[in-house]
Amino acid sequence: MRSLQVGDVVVRRSRLLRTRGAVVKLTQGKRDGVRLVWVKWDHATTLPNPSLELEDTLDGPRPGP
């Protein structure tokens, strides 16, 4: 998967319910070698919103044709 960019639509795949959101900020920080990104979730009751997520737990945008 390519690195995420601000504005990319992502889906959280590590949870039972797959929540969709958009990347709003990239961080310089890493956890276990994986970059952290801030994601604003589309679902109104998802808390915290936005949340700090590991980049490799998100399904990113599909490559174009």
Side-chain angles (χ1 to χ4, degrees), residues 2-3 5 7 11-12 21-22 29-30 32 34 43-45 54 57 60 64-65:
R2 71 175 182 84
S3 292
Q5 302 297 320
V11 175
R12 186 179 353 196
K30 292 186 177 187
D32 297 326
V34 179
H43 197 268
T45 60
L54 289 168
T57 64

Side-chain angles (χ1 to χ4, degrees), residues 10-24:
V10 293
V11 175
R12 186 179 353 196
R13 62 180 145 115
S14 63
R15 308 283 171 95
L16 180 61
L17 299 175
R18 297 184 185 267
T19 308
R20 195 173 97 155
V23 176
V24 292

Side-chain angles (χ1 to χ4, degrees), residues 9-10 12 19-22 39-46 49:
V9 175
V10 293
R12 186 179 353 196
T19 308
R20 195 173 97 155
V39 178
K40 173 81 170 134
W41 302 107
D42 291 344
H43 197 268
T45 60
T46 299
N49 196 7

